[in-house]
Amino acid sequence: NAGVMQNPRHLVRRRGQEARLRCSPMKGHSHVYWYRQLPEEGLKFMVYLQKENIIDESGMPKERFSAEFPKEGPSILRIQQVVRGDSAAYFCASSPVSRGYEQYFGPGTRLTVT
Amino acid sequence: TQLLEQSPQFLSIQEGENLTVYCNSSSVFSSLQWYRQEPGEGPVLLVTVVTGGEVKKLKRLTFQFGDARKDSSLHITAAQPGDTGLYLCAGYPTQGGSEKLVFGKGTKLTVNP
């Protein structure tokens, strides 16, 4: 049973470029969460999505960041016009149901902005 | 302010020693989860505790949820180098019915052979 998959594992972008991070949840999971981890910091919630719906985006910066989870295909976290401060590890997690259920994490995408 | 405080932040011990790490809050949680994260990888779920006072054992690891569901501890017996990693606690605060998992900053454990 495949786990949560994320790609790419490493992404290097120059300032001003766009970064697209992909997440395929575990089979049977319809709830996807995105987190950001900065060095020496804990994981910070960004956004919670179900298929074709953004449920909670309260942790996501209002500008330049967007997320989607289409009916078909992976969830996408998009960062436009990246800046150096966007450099971090971005993790996706999935769960079969919501309301406090256990979340299972992918291996992460390490974004470096040069 | 950090909703979940973990201590110690760093811990370096010799193989065979016992250790306890703590996860504390002033808020009540409906459940707490412990994860272990290795460098360059995502967090791996170790256990979920739900009931106040609950104790769960996973081989040499013992997890406890406080009676008031505000704190938790992880005790490792006879630590091994393979236990090295970042231990994270996370939980769902009961206030607000949030579906956001809140994380502590973690305890970085190093077990020296």
Side-chain angles (χ1 to χ4, degrees):
Chain A
N1 196 11
V4 178
M5 299 176 69
Q6 290 187 250
N7 68 81
R9 292 293 306 273
H10 300 274
L11 183 61
V12 180
R13 285 287 177 266
R14 291 200 180 101
R15 277 179 298 171
Q17 290 184 319
E18 178 180 283
R20 289 167 65 98
L21 288 61
R22 295 175 184 78
C23 168
S24 296
M26 285 179 73
K27 189 176 180 181
H29 288 194
S30 58
H31 301 258
V32 166
Y33 309 81
W34 286 93
Y35 296 83
R36 178 164 64 178
Q37 187 176 40
L38 293 166
E40 308 305 326
E41 295 286 331
L43 282 91
K44 301 292 186 187
F45 168 83
M46 298 182 73
V47 61
Y48 162 40
L49 311 103
Q50 295 178 26
K51 287 278 187 183
E52 299 184 282
N53 279 307
I54 297 175
I55 307 301
D56 184 344
E57 57 182 347
S58 60
M60 201 154 66
K62 295 280 187 284
E63 297 179 356
R64 301 189 298 109
F65 286 72
S66 63
E68 63 178 10
F69 189 15
K71 189 176 180 181
E72 300 289 337
S75 175
I76 307 282
L77 179 66
R78 184 182 292 110
I79 311 172
Q80 295 177 303
Q81 299 175 328
V82 295
V83 300
R84 288 223 172 108
D86 297 332
S87 295
Y90 292 83
F91 291 96
C92 166
S94 73
S95 67
V97 297
S98 63
R99 299 280 174 215
Y101 203 78
E102 296 168 344
Q103 295 182 18
Y104 296 87
F105 283 78
T109 293
R110 270 101 190 134
L111 173 65
T112 302
V113 179
T114 61
Chain B
T1 56
Q2 192 76 17
L3 199 58
L4 281 170
E5 297 285 347
Q6 290 192 245
S7 62
Q9 189 176 355
F10 299 96
L11 186 57
S12 181
I13 61 171
Q14 292 301 120
E15 183 175 0
E17 292 183 3
N18 301 332
L19 66 113
T20 302
V21 298
Y22 301 93
C23 175
N24 296 305
S25 178
S26 57
S27 299
V28 178
F29 287 80
S30 57
S31 67
L32 273 181
Q33 301 171 9
W34 284 91
Y35 292 83
R36 190 174 88 187
Q37 185 179 21
E38 299 192 20
E41 297 296 329
V44 175
L45 181 65
L46 297 175
V47 79
T48 299
V49 285
V50 178
T51 308
E54 182 177 5
V55 177
K56 280 192 175 178
K57 293 196 174 187
L58 187 66
K59 296 183 181 177
R60 295 177 292 101
L61 279 60
T62 302
F63 303 86
Q64 187 161 9
F65 200 12
D67 291 340
R69 292 186 288 131
K70 291 183 178 182
D71 53 83
S72 182
S73 64
L74 158 59
H75 181 80
I76 301 179
T77 304
Q80 299 177 1
D83 295 328
T84 293
L86 178 68
Y87 288 83
L88 297 163
C89 69
Y92 293 96
T94 55
Q95 191 169 8
S98 175
E99 300 191 35
K100 288 181 272 191
L101 196 57
V102 173
F103 278 84
K105 289 187 178 182
T107 292
K108 194 167 185 180
L109 172 66
T110 303
V111 182
N112 303 298

